[in-house]
mmCIF file of all heavy atoms in Angstrom:
data_model
loop_
_atom_site.group_PDB
_atom_site.id
_atom_site.type_symbol
_atom_site.label_atom_id
_atom_site.label_comp_id
_atom_site.label_asym_id
_atom_site.label_seq_id
_atom_site.Cartn_x
_atom_site.Cartn_y
_atom_site.Cartn_z
ATOM 1 N N GLN A 1 0.527 -14.676 5.250
ATOM 2 C CA GLN A 1 -0.101 -15.931 4.855
ATOM 3 C C GLN A 1 -0.132 -16.916 6.018
ATOM 4 O O GLN A 1 -1.068 -17.716 6.146
ATOM 5 C CB GLN A 1 0.661 -16.556 3.676
ATOM 6 C CG GLN A 1 0.605 -15.743 2.396
ATOM 7 C CD GLN A 1 -0.794 -15.576 1.874
ATOM 8 O OE1 GLN A 1 -1.504 -16.559 1.638
ATOM 9 N NE2 GLN A 1 -1.234 -14.332 1.702
ATOM 10 N N LEU A 2 0.882 -16.821 6.864
ATOM 11 C CA LEU A 2 0.972 -17.719 8.017
ATOM 12 C C LEU A 2 -0.037 -17.333 9.100
ATOM 13 O O LEU A 2 -0.649 -18.207 9.737
ATOM 14 C CB LEU A 2 2.392 -17.687 8.586
ATOM 15 C CG LEU A 2 2.733 -18.703 9.688
ATOM 16 C CD1 LEU A 2 2.645 -20.119 9.132
ATOM 17 C CD2 LEU A 2 4.142 -18.445 10.223
ATOM 18 N N VAL A 3 -0.222 -16.022 9.317
ATOM 19 C CA VAL A 3 -1.162 -15.530 10.338
ATOM 20 C C VAL A 3 -2.100 -14.516 9.673
ATOM 21 O O VAL A 3 -1.957 -13.304 9.873
ATOM 22 C CB VAL A 3 -0.411 -14.884 11.527
ATOM 23 C CG1 VAL A 3 -1.366 -14.662 12.701
ATOM 24 C CG2 VAL A 3 0.788 -15.708 11.955
ATOM 25 N N PRO A 4 -3.061 -14.958 8.890
ATOM 26 C CA PRO A 4 -3.919 -14.021 8.138
ATOM 27 C C PRO A 4 -4.782 -13.125 9.029
ATOM 28 O O PRO A 4 -5.110 -12.001 8.637
ATOM 29 C CB PRO A 4 -4.786 -14.952 7.281
ATOM 30 C CG PRO A 4 -4.736 -16.284 7.971
ATOM 31 C CD PRO A 4 -3.379 -16.365 8.602
ATOM 32 N N ASP A 5 -5.162 -13.588 10.223
ATOM 33 C CA ASP A 5 -5.997 -12.778 11.113
ATOM 34 C C ASP A 5 -5.284 -11.526 11.605
ATOM 35 O O ASP A 5 -5.934 -10.543 11.976
ATOM 36 C CB ASP A 5 -6.443 -13.608 12.325
ATOM 37 C CG ASP A 5 -7.408 -14.723 11.929
ATOM 38 O OD1 ASP A 5 -8.008 -14.619 10.838
ATOM 39 O OD2 ASP A 5 -7.548 -15.702 12.701
ATOM 40 N N ALA A 6 -3.953 -11.547 11.623
ATOM 41 C CA ALA A 6 -3.174 -10.404 12.113
ATOM 42 C C ALA A 6 -2.603 -9.585 10.965
ATOM 43 O O ALA A 6 -1.811 -8.678 11.197
ATOM 44 C CB ALA A 6 -2.044 -10.890 13.018
ATOM 45 N N ALA A 7 -3.019 -9.879 9.729
ATOM 46 C CA ALA A 7 -2.397 -9.257 8.559
ATOM 47 C C ALA A 7 -2.559 -7.743 8.546
ATOM 48 O O ALA A 7 -1.588 -7.010 8.336
ATOM 49 C CB ALA A 7 -2.979 -9.861 7.279
ATOM 50 N N ASP A 8 -3.792 -7.239 8.765
ATOM 51 C CA ASP A 8 -4.029 -5.792 8.673
ATOM 52 C C ASP A 8 -3.217 -5.018 9.699
ATOM 53 O O ASP A 8 -2.586 -3.995 9.376
ATOM 54 C CB ASP A 8 -5.521 -5.495 8.866
ATOM 55 C CG ASP A 8 -6.344 -5.891 7.641
ATOM 56 O OD1 ASP A 8 -5.737 -6.029 6.561
ATOM 57 O OD2 ASP A 8 -7.565 -6.065 7.785
ATOM 58 N N GLU A 9 -3.224 -5.475 10.950
ATOM 59 C CA GLU A 9 -2.466 -4.783 11.989
ATOM 60 C C GLU A 9 -0.967 -4.896 11.734
ATOM 61 O O GLU A 9 -0.212 -3.944 11.952
ATOM 62 C CB GLU A 9 -2.807 -5.359 13.359
ATOM 63 C CG GLU A 9 -2.165 -4.604 14.520
ATOM 64 C CD GLU A 9 -2.585 -5.136 15.874
ATOM 65 O OE1 GLU A 9 -3.457 -6.031 15.923
ATOM 66 O OE2 GLU A 9 -2.030 -4.658 16.884
ATOM 67 N N PHE A 10 -0.539 -6.047 11.259
ATOM 68 C CA PHE A 10 0.884 -6.256 10.983
ATOM 69 C C PHE A 10 1.362 -5.363 9.843
ATOM 70 O O PHE A 10 2.416 -4.729 9.933
ATOM 71 C CB PHE A 10 1.127 -7.731 10.641
ATOM 72 C CG PHE A 10 2.540 -8.057 10.249
ATOM 73 C CD1 PHE A 10 3.592 -7.878 11.139
ATOM 74 C CD2 PHE A 10 2.831 -8.556 8.987
ATOM 75 C CE1 PHE A 10 4.901 -8.177 10.770
ATOM 76 C CE2 PHE A 10 4.122 -8.856 8.625
ATOM 77 C CZ PHE A 10 5.157 -8.664 9.516
ATOM 78 N N LEU A 11 0.572 -5.274 8.768
ATOM 79 C CA LEU A 11 0.948 -4.434 7.633
ATOM 80 C C LEU A 11 1.023 -2.965 8.023
ATOM 81 O O LEU A 11 1.821 -2.209 7.471
ATOM 82 C CB LEU A 11 -0.051 -4.620 6.486
ATOM 83 C CG LEU A 11 0.000 -5.972 5.760
ATOM 84 C CD1 LEU A 11 -1.150 -6.094 4.788
ATOM 85 C CD2 LEU A 11 1.329 -6.152 5.038
ATOM 86 N N GLY A 12 0.187 -2.557 8.983
ATOM 87 C CA GLY A 12 0.218 -1.177 9.444
ATOM 88 C C GLY A 12 1.378 -0.873 10.370
ATOM 89 O O GLY A 12 1.626 0.302 10.678
ATOM 90 N N SER A 13 2.096 -1.903 10.798
ATOM 91 C CA SER A 13 3.212 -1.718 11.734
ATOM 92 C C SER A 13 4.576 -1.901 11.086
ATOM 93 O O SER A 13 5.601 -1.638 11.709
ATOM 94 C CB SER A 13 3.090 -2.717 12.910
ATOM 95 O OG SER A 13 1.851 -2.584 13.568
ATOM 96 N N VAL A 14 4.593 -2.369 9.836
ATOM 97 C CA VAL A 14 5.858 -2.651 9.151
ATOM 98 C C VAL A 14 6.057 -1.660 8.011
ATOM 99 O O VAL A 14 5.164 -1.468 7.179
ATOM 100 C CB VAL A 14 5.881 -4.094 8.596
ATOM 101 C CG1 VAL A 14 7.156 -4.344 7.814
ATOM 102 C CG2 VAL A 14 5.762 -5.093 9.730
ATOM 103 N N ASP A 15 7.208 -1.040 7.983
ATOM 104 C CA ASP A 15 7.562 -0.154 6.871
ATOM 105 C C ASP A 15 8.195 -0.976 5.759
ATOM 106 O O ASP A 15 9.194 -1.663 5.971
ATOM 107 C CB ASP A 15 8.540 0.935 7.335
ATOM 108 C CG ASP A 15 7.884 1.920 8.289
ATOM 109 O OD1 ASP A 15 6.760 2.353 8.000
ATOM 110 O OD2 ASP A 15 8.498 2.238 9.322
ATOM 111 N N GLN A 16 7.590 -0.908 4.587
ATOM 112 C CA GLN A 16 8.100 -1.626 3.431
ATOM 113 C C GLN A 16 8.590 -0.640 2.374
ATOM 114 O O GLN A 16 8.159 0.519 2.359
ATOM 115 C CB GLN A 16 7.010 -2.509 2.819
ATOM 116 C CG GLN A 16 6.433 -3.538 3.760
ATOM 117 C CD GLN A 16 5.456 -4.446 3.043
ATOM 118 O OE1 GLN A 16 5.822 -5.178 2.111
ATOM 119 N NE2 GLN A 16 4.201 -4.410 3.446
ATOM 120 N N PRO A 17 9.478 -1.070 1.493
ATOM 121 C CA PRO A 17 9.905 -0.197 0.393
ATOM 122 C C PRO A 17 8.701 0.322 -0.383
ATOM 123 O O PRO A 17 7.761 -0.415 -0.675
ATOM 124 C CB PRO A 17 10.781 -1.116 -0.470
ATOM 125 C CG PRO A 17 11.302 -2.138 0.488
ATOM 126 C CD PRO A 17 10.188 -2.363 1.473
ATOM 127 N N LEU A 18 8.722 1.590 -0.697
ATOM 128 C CA LEU A 18 7.587 2.237 -1.363
ATOM 129 C C LEU A 18 7.468 1.776 -2.811
ATOM 130 O O LEU A 18 8.471 1.570 -3.495
ATOM 131 C CB LEU A 18 7.750 3.755 -1.300
ATOM 132 C CG LEU A 18 7.851 4.347 0.116
ATOM 133 C CD1 LEU A 18 8.281 5.813 0.048
ATOM 134 C CD2 LEU A 18 6.526 4.214 0.845
ATOM 135 N N LYS A 19 6.232 1.644 -3.263
ATOM 136 C CA LYS A 19 5.966 1.271 -4.654
ATOM 137 C C LYS A 19 5.454 2.497 -5.412
ATOM 138 O O LYS A 19 4.849 3.396 -4.837
ATOM 139 C CB LYS A 19 4.933 0.155 -4.710
ATOM 140 C CG LYS A 19 5.383 -1.160 -4.097
ATOM 141 C CD LYS A 19 6.495 -1.779 -4.912
ATOM 142 C CE LYS A 19 6.857 -3.167 -4.407
ATOM 143 N NZ LYS A 19 5.755 -4.139 -4.548
ATOM 144 N N THR A 20 5.679 2.494 -6.704
ATOM 145 C CA THR A 20 5.260 3.603 -7.563
ATOM 146 C C THR A 20 4.105 3.181 -8.457
ATOM 147 O O THR A 20 4.122 2.087 -9.031
ATOM 148 C CB THR A 20 6.432 4.078 -8.436
ATOM 149 O OG1 THR A 20 7.532 4.444 -7.613
ATOM 150 C CG2 THR A 20 6.037 5.289 -9.259
ATOM 151 N N LYS A 21 3.079 4.053 -8.532
ATOM 152 C CA LYS A 21 1.963 3.836 -9.448
ATOM 153 C C LYS A 21 1.780 5.077 -10.321
ATOM 154 O O LYS A 21 2.252 6.156 -9.971
ATOM 155 C CB LYS A 21 0.661 3.545 -8.678
ATOM 156 C CG LYS A 21 0.585 2.149 -8.078
ATOM 157 C CD LYS A 21 -0.717 1.952 -7.340
ATOM 158 C CE LYS A 21 -1.899 1.853 -8.283
ATOM 159 N NZ LYS A 21 -1.903 0.585 -9.050
ATOM 160 N N MET A 22 1.100 4.896 -11.426
ATOM 161 C CA MET A 22 0.827 6.001 -12.341
ATOM 162 C C MET A 22 -0.636 6.427 -12.218
ATOM 163 O O MET A 22 -1.536 5.595 -12.289
ATOM 164 C CB MET A 22 1.128 5.587 -13.782
ATOM 165 C CG MET A 22 0.884 6.675 -14.805
ATOM 166 S SD MET A 22 2.041 8.054 -14.631
ATOM 167 C CE MET A 22 3.563 7.248 -15.202
ATOM 168 N N ASP A 23 -0.831 7.722 -11.981
ATOM 169 C CA ASP A 23 -2.182 8.268 -11.945
ATOM 170 C C ASP A 23 -2.687 8.388 -13.388
ATOM 171 O O ASP A 23 -2.172 9.187 -14.170
ATOM 172 C CB ASP A 23 -2.171 9.637 -11.262
ATOM 173 C CG ASP A 23 -3.572 10.191 -11.039
ATOM 174 O OD1 ASP A 23 -4.449 9.942 -11.879
ATOM 175 O OD2 ASP A 23 -3.772 10.891 -10.031
ATOM 176 N N LYS A 24 -3.686 7.603 -13.726
ATOM 177 C CA LYS A 24 -4.171 7.566 -15.103
ATOM 178 C C LYS A 24 -4.842 8.875 -15.499
ATOM 179 O O LYS A 24 -4.839 9.255 -16.681
ATOM 180 C CB LYS A 24 -5.145 6.406 -15.281
ATOM 181 C CG LYS A 24 -4.518 5.042 -15.023
ATOM 182 C CD LYS A 24 -5.551 3.929 -15.108
ATOM 183 C CE LYS A 24 -4.908 2.573 -14.791
ATOM 184 N NZ LYS A 24 -5.911 1.479 -14.802
ATOM 185 N N ALA A 25 -5.405 9.589 -14.519
ATOM 186 C CA ALA A 25 -6.118 10.824 -14.821
ATOM 187 C C ALA A 25 -5.169 11.978 -15.119
ATOM 188 O O ALA A 25 -5.472 12.838 -15.952
ATOM 189 C CB ALA A 25 -7.040 11.195 -13.668
ATOM 190 N N THR A 26 -4.014 12.011 -14.453
ATOM 191 C CA THR A 26 -3.079 13.125 -14.613
ATOM 192 C C THR A 26 -1.780 12.727 -15.302
ATOM 193 O O THR A 26 -1.022 13.592 -15.733
ATOM 194 C CB THR A 26 -2.736 13.725 -13.242
ATOM 195 O OG1 THR A 26 -2.061 12.742 -12.440
ATOM 196 C CG2 THR A 26 -3.985 14.186 -12.514
ATOM 197 N N GLY A 27 -1.495 11.423 -15.367
ATOM 198 C CA GLY A 27 -0.252 10.972 -15.976
ATOM 199 C C GLY A 27 0.959 11.190 -15.092
ATOM 200 O O GLY A 27 2.095 11.150 -15.580
ATOM 201 N N ARG A 28 0.744 11.386 -13.783
ATOM 202 C CA ARG A 28 1.852 11.626 -12.857
ATOM 203 C C ARG A 28 2.033 10.422 -11.937
ATOM 204 O O ARG A 28 1.065 9.748 -11.555
ATOM 205 C CB ARG A 28 1.605 12.887 -12.024
ATOM 206 C CG ARG A 28 1.466 14.148 -12.851
ATOM 207 C CD ARG A 28 1.343 15.384 -11.985
ATOM 208 N NE ARG A 28 2.571 15.645 -11.216
ATOM 209 C CZ ARG A 28 2.761 16.718 -10.456
ATOM 210 N NH1 ARG A 28 1.793 17.637 -10.361
ATOM 211 N NH2 ARG A 28 3.892 16.901 -9.808
ATOM 212 N N GLU A 29 3.277 10.173 -11.567
ATOM 213 C CA GLU A 29 3.577 9.071 -10.677
ATOM 214 C C GLU A 29 3.298 9.463 -9.225
ATOM 215 O O GLU A 29 3.432 10.620 -8.847
ATOM 216 C CB GLU A 29 5.047 8.655 -10.820
ATOM 217 C CG GLU A 29 5.381 7.948 -12.114
ATOM 218 C CD GLU A 29 6.818 7.482 -12.154
ATOM 219 O OE1 GLU A 29 7.702 8.254 -11.732
ATOM 220 O OE2 GLU A 29 7.059 6.348 -12.598
ATOM 221 N N TYR A 30 2.946 8.470 -8.421
ATOM 222 C CA TYR A 30 2.788 8.681 -6.988
ATOM 223 C C TYR A 30 3.198 7.417 -6.243
ATOM 224 O O TYR A 30 3.355 6.351 -6.853
ATOM 225 C CB TYR A 30 1.354 9.084 -6.637
ATOM 226 C CG TYR A 30 0.298 8.020 -6.900
ATOM 227 C CD1 TYR A 30 -0.146 7.184 -5.874
ATOM 228 C CD2 TYR A 30 -0.259 7.864 -8.168
ATOM 229 C CE1 TYR A 30 -1.117 6.215 -6.111
ATOM 230 C CE2 TYR A 30 -1.231 6.909 -8.403
ATOM 231 C CZ TYR A 30 -1.662 6.082 -7.370
ATOM 232 O OH TYR A 30 -2.616 5.123 -7.609
ATOM 233 N N LEU A 31 3.405 7.545 -4.956
ATOM 234 C CA LEU A 31 3.883 6.447 -4.137
ATOM 235 C C LEU A 31 2.745 5.807 -3.358
ATOM 236 O O LEU A 31 1.773 6.477 -2.984
ATOM 237 C CB LEU A 31 4.956 6.943 -3.172
ATOM 238 C CG LEU A 31 6.219 7.499 -3.844
ATOM 239 C CD1 LEU A 31 7.121 8.187 -2.837
ATOM 240 C CD2 LEU A 31 6.976 6.389 -4.574
ATOM 241 N N THR A 32 2.865 4.513 -3.112
ATOM 242 C CA THR A 32 1.833 3.786 -2.390
ATOM 243 C C THR A 32 2.397 3.204 -1.107
ATOM 244 O O THR A 32 3.556 2.792 -1.039
ATOM 245 C CB THR A 32 1.250 2.642 -3.242
ATOM 246 O OG1 THR A 32 2.284 1.676 -3.506
ATOM 247 C CG2 THR A 32 0.720 3.180 -4.562
ATOM 248 N N CYS A 33 1.560 3.207 -0.094
ATOM 249 C CA CYS A 33 1.917 2.610 1.190
ATOM 250 C C CYS A 33 0.606 2.314 1.912
ATOM 251 O O CYS A 33 -0.491 2.467 1.363
ATOM 252 C CB CYS A 33 2.811 3.540 2.009
ATOM 253 S SG CYS A 33 1.972 5.042 2.554
ATOM 254 N N ASP A 34 0.689 1.910 3.163
ATOM 255 C CA ASP A 34 -0.510 1.551 3.901
ATOM 256 C C ASP A 34 -1.384 2.770 4.193
ATOM 257 O O ASP A 34 -2.582 2.628 4.457
ATOM 258 C CB ASP A 34 -0.115 0.864 5.217
ATOM 259 C CG ASP A 34 -1.277 0.135 5.859
ATOM 260 O OD1 ASP A 34 -1.837 -0.767 5.214
ATOM 261 O OD2 ASP A 34 -1.645 0.484 7.000
ATOM 262 N N TYR A 35 -0.808 3.972 4.139
ATOM 263 C CA TYR A 35 -1.547 5.177 4.510
ATOM 264 C C TYR A 35 -2.468 5.692 3.403
ATOM 265 O O TYR A 35 -3.358 6.492 3.676
ATOM 266 C CB TYR A 35 -0.571 6.284 4.930
ATOM 267 C CG TYR A 35 0.196 5.935 6.186
ATOM 268 C CD1 TYR A 35 1.505 5.470 6.114
ATOM 269 C CD2 TYR A 35 -0.392 6.054 7.441
ATOM 270 C CE1 TYR A 35 2.211 5.135 7.260
ATOM 271 C CE2 TYR A 35 0.304 5.725 8.595
ATOM 272 C CZ TYR A 35 1.608 5.262 8.496
ATOM 273 O OH TYR A 35 2.306 4.915 9.644
ATOM 274 N N ASN A 36 -2.258 5.293 2.180
ATOM 275 C CA ASN A 36 -3.183 5.682 1.112
ATOM 276 C C ASN A 36 -3.852 4.464 0.491
ATOM 277 O O ASN A 36 -4.346 4.509 -0.630
ATOM 278 C CB ASN A 36 -2.483 6.516 0.035
ATOM 279 C CG ASN A 36 -1.449 5.725 -0.756
ATOM 280 O OD1 ASN A 36 -0.722 4.905 -0.204
ATOM 281 N ND2 ASN A 36 -1.355 5.996 -2.052
ATOM 282 N N ARG A 37 -3.892 3.383 1.265
ATOM 283 C CA ARG A 37 -4.522 2.130 0.812
ATOM 284 C C ARG A 37 -5.892 1.977 1.450
ATOM 285 O O ARG A 37 -6.087 2.261 2.633
ATOM 286 C CB ARG A 37 -3.642 0.935 1.172
ATOM 287 C CG ARG A 37 -4.233 -0.420 0.771
ATOM 288 C CD ARG A 37 -3.268 -1.548 1.092
ATOM 289 N NE ARG A 37 -3.084 -1.704 2.519
ATOM 290 C CZ ARG A 37 -3.849 -2.474 3.295
ATOM 291 N NH1 ARG A 37 -4.853 -3.155 2.774
ATOM 292 N NH2 ARG A 37 -3.607 -2.574 4.590
ATOM 293 N N ASP A 38 -6.836 1.530 0.684
ATOM 294 C CA ASP A 38 -8.163 1.163 1.174
ATOM 295 C C ASP A 38 -8.536 -0.142 0.483
ATOM 296 O O ASP A 38 -8.863 -0.151 -0.707
ATOM 297 C CB ASP A 38 -9.184 2.256 0.868
ATOM 298 C CG ASP A 38 -10.472 2.075 1.666
ATOM 299 O OD1 ASP A 38 -10.776 0.930 2.055
ATOM 300 O OD2 ASP A 38 -11.171 3.086 1.906
ATOM 301 N N GLY A 39 -8.440 -1.227 1.213
ATOM 302 C CA GLY A 39 -8.623 -2.537 0.596
ATOM 303 C C GLY A 39 -7.463 -2.831 -0.336
ATOM 304 O O GLY A 39 -6.299 -2.797 0.059
ATOM 305 N N ASP A 40 -7.771 -3.066 -1.594
ATOM 306 C CA ASP A 40 -6.732 -3.325 -2.602
ATOM 307 C C ASP A 40 -6.510 -2.120 -3.499
ATOM 308 O O ASP A 40 -5.825 -2.217 -4.521
ATOM 309 C CB ASP A 40 -7.119 -4.532 -3.467
ATOM 310 C CG ASP A 40 -7.171 -5.826 -2.647
ATOM 311 O OD1 ASP A 40 -6.364 -5.951 -1.716
ATOM 312 O OD2 ASP A 40 -8.027 -6.680 -2.938
ATOM 313 N N SER A 41 -7.080 -0.971 -3.134
ATOM 314 C CA SER A 41 -6.967 0.239 -3.950
ATOM 315 C C SER A 41 -6.091 1.268 -3.269
ATOM 316 O O SER A 41 -5.980 1.300 -2.036
ATOM 317 C CB SER A 41 -8.355 0.842 -4.215
ATOM 318 O OG SER A 41 -9.179 -0.071 -4.906
ATOM 319 N N TYR A 42 -5.460 2.121 -4.090
ATOM 320 C CA TYR A 42 -4.588 3.180 -3.578
ATOM 321 C C TYR A 42 -5.050 4.528 -4.117
ATOM 322 O O TYR A 42 -5.377 4.651 -5.296
ATOM 323 C CB TYR A 42 -3.137 2.924 -3.984
ATOM 324 C CG TYR A 42 -2.529 1.702 -3.322
ATOM 325 C CD1 TYR A 42 -2.585 0.458 -3.944
ATOM 326 C CD2 TYR A 42 -1.921 1.801 -2.072
ATOM 327 C CE1 TYR A 42 -2.036 -0.670 -3.331
ATOM 328 C CE2 TYR A 42 -1.369 0.680 -1.466
ATOM 329 C CZ TYR A 42 -1.442 -0.549 -2.090
ATOM 330 O OH TYR A 42 -0.918 -1.651 -1.486
#
């Protein structure tokens, strides 16, 4: 929020605790991070 222009590069350089989402099509859980993110979607 402080430096929004550097947000994308910064997020790609910082390891954050993994989040869990549910795949609605299969009913299985999966993990989210910057590597399976495209915009606001995973």
Side-chain angles (χ1 to χ4, degrees):
Q1 295 298 304
L2 188 64
V3 192
D5 292 340
D8 286 341
E9 186 176 355
F10 176 62
L11 290 172
S13 304
V14 176
D15 292 315
Q16 301 185 63
L18 301 169
K19 295 293 186 64
T20 303
K21 285 180 71 71
M22 180 67 70
D23 187 326
K24 298 176 182 177
T26 63
R28 300 185 66 175
E29 289 184 317
Y30 65 97
L31 298 170
T32 64
C33 67
D34 195 59
Y35 295 101
N36 67 321
R37 179 177 67 89
D38 195 335
D40 295 326
S41 300
Y42 293 92

